Amino acid sequence: QTVVTQEPSLTVSPGGTVTLTCASSTGVVTSGYYPNWFQQKPGQAPRALIYSTSNKHSWTPARFSGSLLGGKAALTLSGVQPEDEAEYYCLLYYGGAPNWVFGGGTKLTVL
Amino acid sequence: EVQLVESGGGLIQPGGSLRLSCAASGFIVSSNYMSWVRQAPGKGLEWVSVIYSGGSTYYADSVKGRFTISRDNPKNTLYLQMNSLRAEDTAVYYCARVLNTVTDLDSWGQGTLVTVSS
């Protein structure tokens, strides 16, 4: 069974920078996994932020960026705002079967 | 404006069946990949199923053989038929449009809660 792993929780100060990562139990995450990042606030549906590693939607704030880092997918928030406090999920695509697997989520606290 | 509205959730006994609907507006369901994602209470997101624009369907192992994804083109609506429901199927079920790439679930509905309990 494929497992996608994220940091369970991270804390960042307002105005700071934080990087969330997304690892695959199958090995190195590449662009072929089409890493995707979502933000979810309590009581709300998830909102897409980043698709295909580093592409932003029109509504994605400029302070969010996606990349591949050390064999993982990464989401970096630069100049964090209080409203960025939320749960963040990554999604990877595994071809063949095919199969989509979400990470367990990272709870980001802005403190 | 793209909009997705799920319905059909509720309380159902173990072993029962339920059909979820996802009414779409602002785009054509059959021209896009469409997906179902669920979230158990207090838990993370779990991918459930996808239907490609060409009609191919795929399922998570946890629901394979029990759930069926389909669409009604004239009604522009996506469905999820859920049979042999188990307690572990209890979750909010979201439908989502897949846009730019296979993981780009760019638009989501508000979700519908399915509770499987006796």
Side-chain angles (χ1 to χ4, degrees):
Chain A
Q1 182 182 350
T2 302
V3 177
V4 176
T5 302
Q6 299 181 242
E7 296 86 1
S9 64
L10 291 169
T11 300
V12 62
S13 299
T17 296
V18 65
T19 296
L20 291 63
T21 66
C22 175
S24 172
S25 62
T26 61
V28 173
V29 176
T30 67
S31 59
Y33 288 80
Y34 299 96
N36 219 74
W37 291 92
F38 302 89
Q39 178 192 66
Q40 187 180 34
K41 295 183 178 180
Q44 296 183 14
R47 181 176 74 140
L49 290 175
I50 301 287
Y51 67 94
S52 195
T53 304
S54 58
N55 295 279
K56 299 180 186 182
H57 286 281
S58 58
W59 55 82
T60 304
R63 60 184 179 276
F64 289 84
S65 62
S67 64
L68 296 175
L69 193 65
K72 303 176 184 180
L75 176 70
T76 299
L77 288 70
S78 304
V80 172
Q81 301 296 307
E83 60 265 29
D84 297 332
E85 184 163 292
E87 193 87 23
Y88 291 84
Y89 294 93
C90 67
L91 174 63
L92 300 181
Y93 168 76
Y94 295 82
N99 191 26
W100 287 254
V101 183
F102 281 96
T106 295
K107 181 175 174 57
L108 183 66
T109 300
V110 180
L111 204 57
Chain B
E1 180 194 2
V2 171
Q3 193 170 15
L4 295 165
V5 179
E6 300 96 335
S7 60
L11 176 63
I12 187 76
Q13 290 190 338
S17 298
L18 211 54
R19 188 180 79 160
L20 305 183
S21 300
C22 171
S25 58
F27 73 101
I28 299 173
V29 165
S30 61
S31 297
N32 291 267
Y33 292 9
M34 296 292 297
S35 192
W36 287 96
V37 174
R38 68 184 181 183
Q39 186 169 36
K43 302 296 185 182
L45 302 173
E46 179 187 14
W47 173 76
V48 172
S49 181
V50 68
I51 182 167
Y52 286 178
S53 50
S56 297
T57 59
Y58 300 96
Y59 302 91
D61 286 344
S62 58
V63 306
K64 201 172 295 182
R66 300 188 298 123
F67 289 12
T68 302
I69 189 172
S70 64
R71 64 190 181 211
D72 184 321
N73 294 347
K75 293 184 177 179
N76 208 36
T77 298
L78 179 74
Y79 299 102
L80 186 68
Q81 177 67 43
M82 304 185 297
N83 299 330
S84 303
L85 283 162
R86 307 166 180 168
E88 54 264 35
D89 296 318
T90 294
V92 173
Y93 285 73
Y94 296 100
C95 65
R97 181 180 72 167
V98 182
L99 189 61
N100 295 291
T101 65
V102 291
T103 56
D104 183 24
L105 280 62
D106 79 307
S107 299
W108 296 63
Q110 84 290 348
T112 187
L113 176 62
V114 173
T115 303
V116 184
S117 175
S118 54

